[in-house]
């Protein structure tokens, strides 16, 4: 059971470039989330999804887009990379939306130069 | 506005002794609290949780205490082991159409052999 898998683990982008962070889970969870963690800070929610075809903004959505075409996959798209998007990104999933823990991927460390 | 605060960035404890990690929150609408543990280069993993209707939850060496009147949460680890050395995140959630989880900034625990 792989859980939540994120790719890539590391990436360096130049300002203005775009990329997609991949996330897939094999636990058949309905809820999926993208967080970012900046140094010395807690995790901030970027986007979330309550099921295939349904996504919504979290606390810090600007500069990002998501899609959820299947239950398993929840990719995060950066269209025009900026230095402020340098961070560690975590994808997570949970079986339901209330009073349950989330399962996290290993994270993607992104640097924008 | 930091609604979940972990005021101690780090904590060192001798192996075998008790580790106490503290967390304060300001939002009275939080109704579920979680602790996550994070090792370097890995995603957070769920440790223990507590509902707002309880004041204590125990799981092996880990106990979480909730004092609603003081808006204070603590995690006790007894006895502490070197493998417990990690960053611990306190998290609090409220239901706002989805489980909105707010994370603290983390406390780095070092257990000294």
């Amino acid at each position: 059971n792989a859980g939540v898998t994120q790719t890539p683990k590391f990436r360096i982008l130049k300002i203005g470039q775009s990329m997609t962070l991949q996330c897939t889970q094999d636990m058949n969870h309905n809820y999926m989330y993208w967080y970012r963690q900046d140094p010395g800070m807690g995790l901030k929610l970027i986007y979330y999804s309550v099921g295939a075809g349904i996504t919504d903004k979290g606390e810090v959505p600007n500069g990002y887009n998501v899609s959820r075409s299947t239950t398993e996959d929840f990719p995060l798209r950066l269209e025009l990379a900026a230095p402020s998007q340098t961070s560690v990104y975590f994808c997570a999933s949970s079986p339901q939306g209330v009073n349950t823990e989330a399962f996290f991927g290993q994270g993607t460390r992104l640097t924008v130069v | 506005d930091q609604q979940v605060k972990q005021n101690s960035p780090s904590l060192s404890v001798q192996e075998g002794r008790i580790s106490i990690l503290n967390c304060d929150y300001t939002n009275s609408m939080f109704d579920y609290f979680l602790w996550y543990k994070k090792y370097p280069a890995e995603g957070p993993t769920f440790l223990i949780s507590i509902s707002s209707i309880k004041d204590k939850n125990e799981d092996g060496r880990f106990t979480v205490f909730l004092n609603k009147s003081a808006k204070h949460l603590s995690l006790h680890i007894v006895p502490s082991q070197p493998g417990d050395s990690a960053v611990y995140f306190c998290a609090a959630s409220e239901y706002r159409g989805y489980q909105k989880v707010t994370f603290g900034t983390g406390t780095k625990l070092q257990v000294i052999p």
Side-chain angles (χ1 to χ4, degrees), chain B:
Chain B
D1 177 27
Q2 191 69 27
Q3 296 188 359
V4 178
K5 298 179 185 178
Q6 294 178 258
N7 292 319
S8 298
S10 63
L11 176 68
S12 288
V13 172
Q14 288 290 132
E15 180 178 3
R17 305 294 291 268
I18 184 171
S19 295
I20 300 176
L21 292 87
N22 293 304
C23 178
D24 296 296
Y25 63 95
T26 57
N27 185 349
S28 58
M29 298 303 292
F30 289 143
D31 60 2
Y32 192 67
F33 302 88
L34 310 96
W35 285 94
Y36 286 87
K37 174 175 161 179
K38 184 183 179 305
Y39 292 118
E42 294 185 10
T45 56
F46 170 74
L47 190 58
I48 193 169
S49 62
I50 187 167
S51 166
S52 60
I53 62 173
K54 295 186 176 180
D55 54 19
K56 177 182 174 181
N57 188 26
E58 193 171 353
D59 183 2
R61 296 185 297 113
F62 303 92
T63 303
V64 57
F65 295 92
L66 175 62
N67 183 332
K68 283 187 67 178
S69 61
K71 294 190 174 68
H72 180 78
L73 192 68
S74 63
L75 174 68
H76 293 209
I77 306 173
V78 183
S80 300
Q81 299 174 354
D84 296 329
S85 297
V87 176
Y88 290 78
F89 289 98
C90 171
S93 78
E94 57 178 319
Y95 188 73
R96 298 180 67 176
Y98 70 103
Q99 186 173 347
K100 183 179 188 298
V101 180
T102 302
F103 285 83
T105 52
T107 296
K108 185 175 183 179
L109 173 65
Q110 182 183 19
V111 180
I112 304 165

